[in-house]
């Protein structure tokens, strides 16, 4: 009878993770995205996001609202993200 092999060893993966953590490279070091953060009133924030999507279409630039939060005094702080070019 043939022996069924056990699960694969994760030693190589563990070593790669440990090496990466030891190098201390931040997660965004190879990140090619362009980001801009804004702090605007709600209607102005919506207009600014629409501006970005009009100028940098999502299909070509991967444009997105990366994060947002509502601040006191009805302000919205948000970060827009896109690729530097559509190539």
């Amino acid at each position: 009878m043939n022996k069924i092999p056990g699960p694969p060893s994760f030693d190589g993966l563990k070593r790669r993770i440990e090496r990466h953590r030891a190098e201390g490279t931040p997660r965004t070091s190879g990140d090619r995205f362009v980001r801009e953060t804004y702090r605007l009133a709600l209607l102005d924030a919506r207009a600014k996001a629409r501006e970005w999507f009009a100028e940098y279409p999502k299909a070509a630039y991967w444009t997105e609202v990366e994060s947002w939060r509502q601040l006191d005094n009805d302000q919205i702080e948000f970060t827009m993200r896109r690729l530097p070019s559509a190539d």
Side-chain angles (χ1 to χ4, degrees):
M1 219 178 201
N2 291 339
K3 183 179 177 186
I4 299 174
S9 170
F10 289 106
D11 292 337
L13 178 60
K14 288 178 185 175
R15 281 194 300 273
R16 287 179 55 200
I17 290 171
E18 287 171 5
R19 185 174 51 234
H20 179 74
R21 289 179 179 165
E23 289 171 2
T25 50
R27 201 169 163 185
T28 59
S29 66
D31 194 357
R32 296 182 27 210
F33 287 100
V34 174
R35 290 178 174 81
E36 277 193 54
T37 301
Y38 300 94
R39 189 176 288 179
L40 301 168
L42 177 62
L43 295 177
D44 295 333
R46 286 180 180 170
K48 180 56 77 175
R50 286 186 184 114
E51 222 176 88
W52 265 64
F53 285 112
E55 188 166 343
Y56 308 106
K58 183 176 179 104
Y61 291 90
W62 294 4
T63 304
E64 71 176 23
V65 178
E66 186 173 60
S67 64
W68 68 276
R69 65 184 181 140
Q70 187 169 359
L71 304 171
D72 294 337
N73 66 11
D74 295 329
Q75 295 271 310
I76 304 293
E77 182 179 81
F78 62 102
T79 301
M80 296 296 298
R81 181 182 88 173
R82 68 174 175 84
L83 289 173
S85 71
D87 295 339

